Amino acid sequence: MENPKISFIVPVYQAEKTLNACVDSILSQSMPNFELLLIDDGSPDQSGKICDEMALRDNRIHVFHQKNGGVSHARNLGLQRATGEFVLFVDSDDTISPKMAEKMLTAQKNQKADLVICGILHIWKQKTTQTHYGDFAVSSLQELKEKNASLSLEYAWNAPYNKLYLRSQIQKGFDEKVGLGEDLLFNLSILPACQKIVFLPDCLYYYDHRNENSITQSYREQKFQDALRVYHEKCDFDRKAFGETYVPTAESALLCGDVTRCIQRLVQKGSKSSAEEKQIIESWLCNSEVKEASKIMYRQSPTFLAVWFLIHFKMARLMRTAFRLQK
């Protein structure tokens, strides 16, 4: 096979039920010139064995086994071993359109893009939804200023899996010490070097939300500190890109959303006593940056009144009760 144009990187962990569908969707690409790197992250189920069996059937598949180090560690190993000119990340419980590689490469070639971003089809238990970012291109970060808030609220920068990256532009990998927002930090490290970014309207990535064991549903107290770090870095990025007067409305909304999810997972995990839960939640709600973010949200959009009210008045008990009822 000639040098692969694209390196697909798939971190694999406890994916024995979804891995075949994921890999089949990649092997079915209309553009055959690619390599598929399966990174077995010390999976305790049969995923590693399935990877090895697949590699015997298709020489485009390369398997790497490692001790469990997390999804960022797995992606970084994939980046180290990739040989393609471009990189596409796929999660092992998701699938992609058979035209994904072809359409994204065509857009890259026609517009000489450094980064190509497509829409996402979200698969839920009872329905499907779509995320479209638009059909446009920008030639500088300054051109994104008017769209930045809406793009941020739609999590355009928070995922690596719907983006075609130039491998030569990836100077550093994923931060393995961060458990929330590491994908956003990775994208922020890429964006300053991008001369042209192209957005496609097509939903070419199929995100499956039905995996209840997803790491994104887990709880760790460190995630609150991670949320603050991501908030700081995104605000710093915006001020450098768009000017010191830029108001971080979207970033404030995302921080408050992250804090709310941290509280939800803390309560629903049920590993703390009521007194410990109350102490942790009140410490988060009393954080000066969280309170300021809630005020920014409210000033820009009164529809955020309920969140602002809960955070401003530190209503930990009400939030705990509401999330317990959701269990």
Side-chain angles (χ1 to χ4, degrees):
M1 183 179 71
E2 59 180 304
N3 291 334
K5 194 76 173 176
I6 290 180
S7 295
F8 283 98
I9 297 176
V10 180
V12 177
Y13 185 77
Q14 290 189 334
E16 61 183 10
K17 294 180 180 179
T18 60
L19 187 56
N20 279 295
C22 174
V23 171
D24 286 346
S25 72
I26 297 173
L27 297 180
S28 299
Q29 291 298 293
S30 56
M31 187 217 73
N33 186 21
F34 62 82
E35 65 177 358
L36 169 54
L37 282 63
L38 299 176
I39 315 298
D40 170 29
D41 187 34
S43 190
D45 62 4
Q46 296 298 308
S47 297
K49 180 180 178 182
I50 295 172
C51 289
D52 291 333
E53 292 172 349
M54 290 176 170
L56 294 176
R57 298 196 296 267
D58 195 310
N59 63 6
R60 293 174 295 182
I61 299 177
H62 309 285
V63 180
F64 302 93
H65 301 279
Q66 65 175 24
K67 293 181 179 180
N68 179 247
V71 64
S72 292
H73 187 59
R75 286 177 179 153
N76 285 339
L77 176 59
L79 288 172
Q80 294 169 16
R81 300 301 179 95
T83 61
E85 183 180 355
F86 300 93
V87 170
L88 277 169
F89 295 101
V90 182
D91 286 351
S92 58
D93 48 1
D94 299 333
T95 56
I96 61 175
S97 163
K99 294 283 188 179
M100 183 176 186
E102 180 182 352
K103 286 189 174 184
M104 297 188 85
L105 266 182
T106 298
Q108 189 282 327
K109 180 179 179 181
N110 290 344
Q111 303 196 55
K112 296 181 173 57
D114 300 297
L115 181 66
V116 182
I117 304 173
C118 71
I120 303 171
L121 177 71
H122 299 272
I123 303 172
W124 308 88
K125 289 183 178 180
Q126 303 295 333
K127 62 179 180 179
T128 60
T129 57
Q130 296 182 351
T131 298
H132 299 278
Y133 302 113
D135 185 5
F136 64 96
V138 295
S139 298
S140 70
L141 289 179
Q142 185 62 32
E143 289 183 31
L144 278 173
K145 184 174 182 178
E146 297 302 318
K147 296 179 180 292
N148 182 60
S150 61
L151 288 171
S152 295
L153 287 173
E154 292 172 341
Y155 297 95
W157 312 119
N158 291 61
Y161 43 70
N162 64 329
K163 298 171 178 64
L164 179 73
Y165 299 94
L166 266 170
R167 188 165 64 89
S168 60
Q169 294 222 354
I170 301 176
Q171 301 302 318
K172 63 179 182 179
F174 295 83
D175 189 331
E176 298 178 20
K177 297 179 180 179
V178 179
L180 184 151
E182 68 275 16
D183 298 340
L184 173 60
L185 297 179
F186 174 76
N187 284 323
L188 293 183
S189 73
I190 300 293
L191 287 175
C194 293
Q195 298 296 312
K196 191 161 191 178
I197 304 171
V198 173
F199 291 82
L200 300 179
D202 311 78
C203 290
L204 304 174
Y205 190 90
Y206 306 152
Y207 188 124
D208 195 330
H209 294 264
R210 296 171 296 183
N211 179 15
E212 296 179 351
N213 294 319
S214 170
I215 192 171
T216 61
Q217 303 301 319
S218 63
Y219 164 75
R220 292 186 305 110
E221 288 181 38
Q222 180 61 33
K223 283 192 175 183
F224 175 74
Q225 297 301 324
D226 291 343
L228 287 181
R229 175 185 170 182
V230 170
Y231 174 70
H232 288 153
E233 298 210 18
K234 184 62 164 64
C235 289
D236 288 345
F237 177 89
D238 289 343
R239 283 192 287 267
K240 291 176 183 177
F242 310 127
E244 290 294 328
T245 59
Y246 183 84
V247 179
T249 308
E251 290 67 31
S252 298
L254 294 175
L255 173 61
C256 291
D258 285 338
V259 172
T260 303
R261 282 186 288 275
C262 283
I263 294 172
Q264 179 183 18
R265 289 165 192 165
L266 166 65
V267 171
Q268 293 182 348
K269 185 179 181 183
S271 60
K272 303 287 185 181
S273 69
S274 295
E276 288 174 318
E277 280 183 6
K278 182 176 182 294
Q279 183 179 19
I280 292 171
I281 293 171
E282 288 190 346
S283 71
W284 292 346
L285 297 183
C286 288
N287 179 275
S288 59
E289 288 166 304
V290 174
K291 290 165 68 175
E292 181 59 30
S294 69
K295 291 178 183 178
I296 291 174
M297 285 170 54
Y298 172 61
R299 292 191 202 109
Q300 297 296 318
S301 175
T303 58
F304 287 118
L305 175 61
V307 176
W308 175 84
F309 192 82
L310 290 169
I311 292 176
H312 185 73
F313 291 100
K314 302 180 286 296
M315 301 182 71
R317 185 173 183 178
L318 180 58
M319 298 183 82
R320 287 166 56 216
T321 301
F323 288 135
R324 281 209 176 89
L325 291 174
Q326 291 180 3
K327 290 183 68 174

